[in-house]
Amino acid sequence: MSAVQYSDVIRERFRKPRFRGRLEGATAAFEDVNPLCGDRIAIECRIEADRLADARHHGDCCAICGASADLLIEMGLGKTTKELGRIATPDLLERLEADIRPTRLKCVTLPLTVLHGALAGKAVAR
Amino acid sequence: MTLGEGCRADFPILARSVNGRPLVYLDSGASSQKPRQVLEAMQRFYERSNANVHRSIHTLGEEATEQYEAARDAVRAFVAARYRQEVIFTRGTTDGINVVAATIGRTLQPGDEVIVSEMEHHSNLIPWQMACRDRGATLRAIPLVDGAYLDMEAYARFLGPRTRIVAVAHISNVLGTINPVAEIVRQARVVGAMTLLDGAQAAPHLRLDLAALGCDFYVCSGHKMLGPTGIGVLYGRLETLERLEPGVGGSEMIKEVWIDHAQWNDLPWRFEPGTPPIAEAVGLHAAIEYLDKLGMDRVSAHERDLTRRCLEALSAIPGVTVYGPRNPEIKGAVVAFNVAGYHPHDVAALLDQSGVAVRAGHHCAQPLARALGVTGTLRASFSVYNTAADVERLADAVAGLRDQL
């Protein structure tokens, strides 16, 4: 793991996010807020035959949170809803290759909470 | 040598490095650093005189009481209160507001009104929300004009026979706006309303003359004015305090106690339940002596100069938006800003990598952030020990952000 908080992975995802935006024909969506900073992120998903066919994220959040959401979607594509439910914080931390400080851990975990909320059919953000 | 350069050596923490760079501390609005004089005074108290106050008939108890009450006299002079009975020690600004809200809250009637403003710190909003909710009173908030100033026309419209108290910031902790508090107090008195001024950002920065200002209550925190955490001051106008029932109870604030009732203590102790922050009062006393030695007029001029430099330097950087008044003459030692395309938390984290400490977020003023249309901002705030070189380090770090993210 790199010693810097803003790793190359985070910088690259901040500059060129691959899954940022809205998703036409979403079948599940959820949005949540980080109470520490007021950041807000939404994930819209299309589930086909119990697998994540496509997803997008959007909202008002920091580079770490945005990168986490982008990587989470990339990791999740093609996975079954059960497999998606098993993705956890250490998986994201490993992919971010960054030294995330405790004060910023919630920035990493918020997209995970949001994805799991969407899968649980908690609400539709639109 | 400027004031900032002259006193830096008194602050041991400023000698440390952060992420390999000398620390530039620009978060004094959240909590200031402490000079050696404050640290030593507290150490000396704990090593020599530590005991409880007001009830221990032994030498240490007497020394502790003497030092605690001497701190009260120092505060009285510092804020230019008329009587020492007007100076109540609290745990901080938030505690002071809650003491007042608990006291006044229980006398609110349905239909009574409390006026706050849209730029309040949550500490000067939530206690009034709670008091109003409990008593069926109405909370009204003075809106902003030009995203920086209180709408004084709206304030005049809000004031009326139902207004019980007006509670506003002396200086906004985000915008830095120095509010026209003398006029606010004057107009409130016309309708018979009480006034509370949140001086958390003003007491470290301005010479205060509370007797002349005429407010009913003024609150501030020790830790933002070079003193320790855990102590604050609640100034209450004697005539107002005398007719109020305490809202918070315990030891110290009573004279005689029976099972079903009690007789309240004299002022100021009537509003100081429980063992007070004694060593912290000693520390605050040392902080006040330190500020007095520098001279509050010089402190204001020094911090105004840094604010002016900061406004100029940040405004010159492409993509930077500065919030609040642009004129340092009507602004406290606080500059809030944003960098286009970057989240404030990312900017703060990257500045920290350069050793520059600023605050980022909503600064405990979410309604204000909403009014400004932002989720948060960055905030650089200054104290006596900051220098023009600190402002340059900040501006260089902000200008260099694009290479980092």
Side-chain angles (χ1 to χ4, degrees), chain A residues 11-72:
Chain A
R11 285 152 49 104
E12 196 227 315
R13 296 278 166 168
F14 173 71
R15 291 180 180 181
K16 287 184 195 148
R18 293 172 207 176
F19 299 97
R20 190 170 181 172
R22 304 269 176 168
L23 183 67
E24 288 304 312
T27 56
F30 189 54
E31 177 181 271
D32 206 357
V33 171
N34 181 347
L36 299 176
C37 59
D39 279 7
R40 182 181 60 81
I41 194 159
I43 294 181
E44 301 176 1
C45 315
R46 195 169 72 245
I47 307 289
E48 287 173 359
D50 195 45
R51 285 181 188 274
L52 184 63
D54 205 356
R56 293 289 182 278
H57 64 90
H58 59 86
D60 193 350
C61 67
C62 67
I64 295 175
C65 186
S68 173
D70 222 61
L71 284 168
L72 175 62

Side-chain angles (χ1 to χ4, degrees), chain A residues 4-6 10-11 14-15 35-39 60-64 101 104 107, chain B residues 19 341-343 345-347 349-350 352-353 361-362 366 374-375 402-405:
Chain A
V4 295
Q5 185 158 236
Y6 289 83
I10 292 175
R11 285 152 49 104
F14 173 71
R15 291 180 180 181
L36 299 176
C37 59
D39 279 7
D60 193 350
C61 67
C62 67
I64 295 175
R101 308 256 185 96
R104 303 298 294 278
C107 310
Chain B
N19 294 319
Y342 294 85
H343 190 281
H345 281 183
D346 291 328
V347 177
L350 292 168
D352 181 62
Q353 286 183 6
H362 52 58
Q366 279 185 333
V374 297
T375 50
R402 285 189 199 283
D403 305 328
Q404 289 193 59
L405 194 63

Side-chain angles (χ1 to χ4, degrees), chain B residues 5 11 18 60 105 117 164 213 249 282 287 291 295 363 367 377 380 396 403:
Chain B
E5 289 157 355
F11 293 79
V18 168
L60 298 192
S117 90
R164 291 293 312 285
L213 194 52
V282 171
L291 286 169
H363 312 297
T377 57
D396 288 349
D403 305 328

Side-chain angles (χ1 to χ4, degrees), chain B residues 331-402:
Chain B
K331 195 174 172 80
V334 170
V335 178
F337 64 99
N338 265 326
V339 186
Y342 294 85
H343 190 281
H345 281 183
D346 291 328
V347 177
L350 292 168
L351 294 182
D352 181 62
Q353 286 183 6
S354 311
V356 178
V358 296
R359 175 114 186 242
H362 52 58
H363 312 297
C364 302
Q366 279 185 333
L368 173 60
R370 217 167 279 131
L372 296 174
V374 297
T375 50
T377 57
L378 290 131
R379 181 186 72 177
S381 51
F382 308 105
S383 186
V384 295
Y385 40 74
N386 290 118
T387 63
D390 290 345
V391 175
E392 280 166 32
R393 282 271 306 277
L394 168 71
D396 288 349
V398 171
L401 277 177
R402 285 189 199 283

